[in-house]
Amino acid sequence: MENSFCTAAQKTFFETFGYLHLPGLMKADIGWIIEDYEAVWSSRPDIVHGAKGRQTSFPATFVLETPRLSTLIEDPRIEPLLNLLLGDTWTLNGGDGSLYDGDTQWHSDIALWEDESLVRNVKVAFYLDPLTRETGALRVIPGSHLFGDRYCAQLSTNFNDMKHNLGIDGSQVPAVALECQPGDVVMFDHRLKHASFGGGKRRRLMNLNVMESIHNEAQKEAMRNLFRFYRDTHDVKWEFDKKKVDAMPPERMRHFAMTLEIGKEVMSEKQTASVH
């Protein structure tokens, strides 16, 4: 039987438009989520928001930083939706915590379109501040995740020089603004074009990044490529605190084992290269 928040229609909507907006899904727990979010940032006074640009990202898998945040991985409101969209053997491959200042221009959360089209990757976003269209709410272009589609390709080409090609700036792009309150959750395909405009100086976001299950060597190599990209261009060290990993309950480890395996492989590659 389908849950009221987890339906076949939602899966079709997601596959067609590339996102789901789930108002109030985590409202009952948003108090402690924000409390832990702030506690994690407070533990790193050496990281100064705005020192290196408009986005400040926590240099670790944010969702694993506290015992309570870690439970979001198998939360009974989150897990069934990811099971619906990706199958029940999906894998957590990141969990960011970020602070934003001002506008975020149009982009997709991908490095390699072909590889992320072999293995679907989804972001589960927790926006921790009230946001409207004019104050930094996420804007999305429905259907812009469909790799190989002509409209998707036109967007990518024209967005390279939007002012010249389209005669508009980013804030004028036709899009859906997902206005939200703390406790809302947004899930979207990494390939989806998204942006935000008019946000304040400390806009808070926490997310889970997950990938669907891997069924063959081509898919596994695609995800190795993705892990390598972030290893080499963003200095992501695909290594995790052993104590936290060892303490994971079985239901959490089930959604993390593949990341441990691929992460170990791509980090060993770098170590081997440095030796030679």
Side-chain angles (χ1 to χ4, degrees):
M1 181 178 292
E2 293 177 339
N3 295 313
S4 60
F5 65 94
C6 185
T7 68
Q10 284 180 309
K11 181 177 182 180
T12 301
F13 185 100
F14 183 89
E15 291 175 346
T16 303
F17 298 117
Y19 72 95
L20 288 177
H21 182 200
L22 304 152
L25 184 69
M26 302 301 293
K27 184 177 180 180
D29 293 296
I30 195 60
W32 69 256
I33 291 173
I34 291 175
E35 182 180 294
D36 279 29
Y37 178 93
E38 294 294 351
V40 173
W41 279 110
S42 295
S43 73
R44 292 294 303 268
D46 56 307
I47 304 173
V48 179
H49 175 46
K52 295 184 178 180
R54 290 191 161 186
Q55 178 182 356
T56 305
S57 297
F58 194 83
T61 304
F62 197 91
V63 72
L64 298 180
E65 288 298 300
T66 76
R68 288 194 298 188
L69 289 177
S70 298
T71 65
L72 294 173
I73 298 167
E74 65 270 7
D75 186 277
R77 291 153 293 186
I78 301 295
E79 185 177 34
L81 282 161
L82 290 174
N83 291 347
L84 176 76
L85 300 179
L86 301 176
D88 63 7
T89 54
W90 54 267
T91 295
L92 177 83
N93 59 1
D96 306 335
S98 296
L99 297 166
Y100 291 87
D101 175 0
D103 299 343
T104 302
Q105 297 299 322
W106 289 101
H107 66 286
S108 299
D109 284 344
I110 60 165
L112 306 165
W113 275 80
E114 294 86 349
D115 290 326
E116 289 214 25
S117 296
L118 276 178
V119 181
R120 178 176 289 175
N121 281 251
V122 171
K123 176 171 283 186
V124 183
F126 303 79
Y127 290 92
L128 305 182
D129 301 285
L131 299 172
T132 68
R133 178 183 181 86
E134 305 305 326
T135 62
L138 184 73
R139 302 186 192 187
V140 300
I141 301 178
S144 58
H145 65 302
L146 298 172
F147 179 65
D149 177 76
R150 188 171 74 172
Y151 174 62
C152 176
Q154 284 181 318
L155 283 175
S156 295
T157 297
N158 289 325
F159 276 20
N160 288 331
D161 188 348
M162 187 178 299
K163 197 70 176 178
H164 178 265
N165 292 330
L166 301 175
I168 57 176
D169 62 34
S171 66
Q172 297 172 301
V173 170
V176 175
L178 304 178
E179 298 187 335
C180 63
Q181 292 292 323
D184 290 6
V185 172
V186 177
M187 296 184 175
F188 62 93
D189 190 301
H190 277 200
R191 298 169 297 179
L192 189 74
K193 289 285 189 297
H194 58 283
S196 67
F197 298 92
K201 293 186 177 297
R202 195 178 186 274
R203 192 166 73 256
R204 299 172 295 178
L205 170 64
M206 185 182 71
N207 63 65
L208 313 179
N209 289 313
V210 303
M211 62 185 181
E212 67 182 332
S213 57
I214 292 171
H215 299 290
N216 54 55
E217 180 58 26
Q219 289 180 321
K220 191 171 184 182
E221 181 62 13
M223 289 302 95
R224 288 193 196 102
N225 287 337
L226 190 74
F227 280 45
R228 289 168 183 141
F229 176 88
Y230 287 104
R231 177 198 67 191
D232 297 338
T233 64
H234 295 278
D235 196 30
V236 173
K237 295 177 174 60
W238 296 102
E239 299 164 338
F240 303 91
D241 186 288
K242 187 176 186 303
K243 289 183 179 179
K244 291 175 182 176
V245 171
D246 289 345
M248 286 184 179
E251 63 270 22
R252 190 176 306 155
M253 179 56 72
R254 185 168 67 89
H255 292 308
F256 200 61
M258 183 57 68
T259 286
L260 289 174
E261 180 181 334
I262 296 176
K264 183 177 181 180
E265 290 175 359
V266 300
M267 294 307 292
S268 66
E269 290 173 355
K270 189 167 186 178
Q271 292 166 359
T272 301
S274 66
V275 170
H276 293 87

